[in-house]
Amino acid sequence: MPDLPLAGVRVLDMTRLLPGNYATVILVELGAEVVKVEAPEGDGTRWVPPHLASGESGAFVQLNRGKASRVVDLKCQEGRDAFAELVTDSDVLVDSFRPGVLDRLGFGAQRLRELRPELVHVTIDAYGSGGELEQVPGHDLNAIGYAGVLTLGGTPALPGLQVADLAAGLHAALAVLAGLRQSA
C-alpha cells in the first residue's frame, strides 16, 4: 500500500529462523518490499511444526507472509553475482550471520558500500562483534539463560514463548527504521 511508512523501501532478508523472519515481516507490515534470499537448503523454519494441510510449516508461512523469495547460493560465483545485483537494487540488508561470514563470502562492509553506498545493513547475531563469544552460535535459550530469565520463578523452567528471539527481531526492525531515518 502506497500510504504505509515503508512503501518504496526494498529489503533483502538474509536471515534464518525466528528473530530475522520476525524483524522482516514487521517491515512487510510497514509497507516494505521484502525479498527473502535463501540458500539452496532453505530457511530452518520451513520444517518447524505444526504443518498446514499443504505440508508447509505454519511458522514459516506466518513469518514470511508478503515476502518475495529467491534462492541464491553464495558459495558459487553465479550466486554471488545474483546477490550483488540484488544489493544494488535494495535499500536495506538484514542478515543473521555470525561476524565474518559475509566477509568470507565476498560481501564485507567495504564491498556492500561499493555496491550500494546508502545501504542500511543490520545484522542479528547472538553476541555481537568483538567479544569472546562472537563466533559462538546462540539462540533464545542461550540469551535467556545468560539473562537469568530461566530461574526467575525459582526452579529453572523453559518459557512457553521465545521472548529473546522476538525481542531481537523487534530491535532489528527498529534498527532498520533508525538507519533509514538517518540516511534520509
Side-chain angles (χ1 to χ4, degrees):
M1 291 186 188
D3 59 339
L4 291 174
L6 294 184
V9 173
R10 187 170 196 216
V11 177
L12 290 182
D13 177 356
M14 293 279 301
T15 68
R16 301 182 320 168
L17 305 175
L18 179 57
N21 285 322
Y22 181 57
T24 55
V25 80
I26 290 170
L27 301 176
V28 166
E29 292 170 353
L30 292 172
E33 173 196 354
V34 176
V35 178
K36 179 145 184 79
V37 180
E38 293 183 71
E41 62 272 13
D43 185 306
T45 58
R46 285 187 176 275
W47 299 276
V48 173
H51 292 91
L52 305 174
S54 65
E56 293 177 288
S57 162
F60 182 84
V61 169
Q62 182 67 14
L63 290 167
N64 291 287
R65 64 189 184 276
K67 299 177 189 178
S69 183
R70 285 280 303 270
V71 174
V72 176
D73 186 354
L74 290 175
K75 295 178 183 173
C76 72
Q77 190 58 49
E78 182 181 344
R80 288 188 294 274
D81 292 344
F83 182 67
E85 187 176 321
L86 288 168
V87 169
T88 301
D89 294 331
S90 297
D91 304 296
V92 176
L93 168 62
V94 182
D95 78 76
S96 59
F97 295 118
R98 279 179 270 168
V101 171
L102 279 178
D103 294 299
R104 287 192 300 276
L105 294 169
F107 293 98
Q110 180 60 36
R111 176 74 172 129
L112 291 172
R113 271 192 297 280
E114 291 168 4
L115 291 168
R116 181 77 168 170
E118 61 279 6
L119 184 73
V120 173
H121 180 198
V122 174
T123 297
I124 305 168
D125 62 12
Y127 304 107
S129 298
E132 64 185 41
L133 298 176
E134 77 173 354
Q135 293 301 317
V136 176
H139 300 282
D140 184 88
L141 183 59
N142 307 107
I144 63 174
Y146 275 118
V149 173
L150 294 175
T151 57
L152 284 178
T155 303
L158 290 175
L161 182 66
Q162 293 172 290
V163 65
D165 281 354
L166 293 171
L170 184 57
H171 280 90
L174 288 170
V176 167
L177 296 176
L180 289 169
R181 171 75 176 181
Q182 187 172 23
S183 68

